[in-house]
Amino acid sequence: MKAVLYICHGSRSAEGQKEAVAFVERLSSSISIPIQHICFLELCEPNIVAGVERCVHDGATTIYAIPLLLLSANHAKRDIPYELKKAKKMFPSVTITYGKPFGVQRHIVSAISKTIEHADAIVLVGRGSSDIDAQADFKQIAHLFQHETNIPVYPCYLAAASPSFSDVVTSLAKAAKHKQVAVVPYILFFGQLLDYIHETLQAQQTSDVSFTLYPPIRTYDVLDRLVEQQVKEWR
């Protein structure tokens, strides 16, 4: 019997966990696979090994493990495969196929771009990673946004890479070159990040520059179609 295991990063905040669970419930409603479970890489339960165990307990003999991550950084390349190998040793007769993060997707960029109104600049906010490939992918996504919207795009990060979100917002507020700035979080779940983002933007709002925060990526149903396609290709 087939199963889909959705692997989320995990969050220290209860709100972040609720966001992940609600997102997976939405995704799973359109996937016609009999067994579907959620698990987390870190910070909350169930972990990946426990997620595999739940699938097997429900009768799964073949599991498709989908990392619900936007870019392929260290977690996708090393941490998740390591946990899946541990699970495979526990259940050697079960076939576990590892999926892929969303990656650079023109469909996602297009869906978000259509919602941006009355903006003369975009601040594209990434969670941040030290992984060089992930940083290159994020820059490519920024280029796609600029091509799609034909307005300047300023990529930045909340951690682990530069330029920082705070520095970019402060610089734009001081320069006052752009009057209506769309702040687009290229992030699946806000969790504890939302308060920091709000505080940073409120501190830089001026009579000359207005920052408008857009929702996280999980709110766009284009992700549902991308997951459906990935499962369809696996089947």
Side-chain angles (χ1 to χ4, degrees), residues 3 35 37 51-61 63 91 94 96:
I35 302 169
H37 284 291
V52 170
E53 189 172 10
R54 290 184 180 188
C55 291
V56 174
H57 182 268
D58 287 348
T61 55
I63 300 172
F91 305 102
V94 176
I96 302 176

Side-chain angles (χ1 to χ4, degrees), residues 167-178 204 206 208-209 211:
D167 286 347
V168 167
V169 170
T170 300
S171 177
L172 290 174
K174 288 181 178 179
K177 177 181 178 181
H178 307 291
Q204 298 301 333
T206 69
D208 295 322
V209 182
F211 294 97

Side-chain angles (χ1 to χ4, degrees), residues 1-19:
M1 190 178 296
K2 293 181 177 179
V4 175
L5 181 63
Y6 303 93
I7 304 174
C8 298
H9 178 275
S11 173
R12 290 184 177 87
S13 74
E15 185 59 35
Q17 294 175 37
K18 289 179 182 177
E19 288 176 327

Side-chain angles (χ1 to χ4, degrees), residues 113-127:
S113 297
K114 290 175 181 177
T115 69
I116 298 174
E117 299 179 341
H118 313 300
D120 57 2
I122 296 172
V123 173
L124 184 65
V125 189
R127 183 178 291 271

Side-chain angles (χ1 to χ4, degrees), residues 12-186:
R12 290 184 177 87
S13 74
E15 185 59 35
Q17 294 175 37
K18 289 179 182 177
E19 288 176 327
V21 170
F23 180 57
V24 168
E25 287 177 349
R26 192 186 87 201
L27 293 177
S28 61
S29 66
S30 59
I31 303 295
S32 57
I33 297 292
I35 302 169
Q36 300 184 66
H37 284 291
I38 184 175
C39 65
F40 300 90
L41 172 61
E42 59 185 8
L43 303 175
C44 44
E45 296 294 335
N47 61 29
I48 292 174
V49 173
V52 170
E53 189 172 10
R54 290 184 180 188
C55 291
V56 174
H57 182 268
D58 287 348
T61 55
T62 302
I63 300 172
Y64 188 52
I66 303 178
L68 294 180
L69 303 171
L70 290 172
L71 299 176
S72 184
N74 294 325
H75 284 325
K77 293 176 181 177
R78 295 198 294 267
D79 300 335
I80 294 175
Y82 175 76
E83 294 300 320
L84 290 175
K85 285 180 181 179
K86 286 166 57 177
K88 177 65 176 175
K89 288 180 180 179
M90 292 177 61
F91 305 102
S93 64
V94 176
T95 300
I96 302 176
T97 302
Y98 184 39
K100 57 187 177 182
F102 290 105
V104 179
Q105 290 281 354
R106 188 178 294 273
H107 296 298
I108 296 177
V109 173
S110 179
I112 298 173
S113 297
K114 290 175 181 177
T115 69
I116 298 174
E117 299 179 341
H118 313 300
D120 57 2
I122 296 172
V123 173
L124 184 65
V125 189
R127 183 178 291 271
S129 171
S130 60
D131 186 274
I132 296 175
D133 293 334
Q135 292 179 23
D137 285 347
F138 193 68
K139 290 178 181 177
Q140 186 177 347
I141 290 167
H143 287 309
L144 289 176
F145 266 105
Q146 188 149 330
H147 181 267
E148 189 83 20
T149 62
N150 201 32
I151 58 178
V153 177
Y154 298 86
C156 59
Y157 304 92
L158 293 171
S162 61
S164 72
F165 169 62
S166 177
D167 286 347
V168 167
V169 170
T170 300
S171 177
L172 290 174
K174 288 181 178 179
K177 177 181 178 181
H178 307 291
K179 306 304 179 184
Q180 299 288 334
V181 180
V183 179
V184 177
Y186 207 79

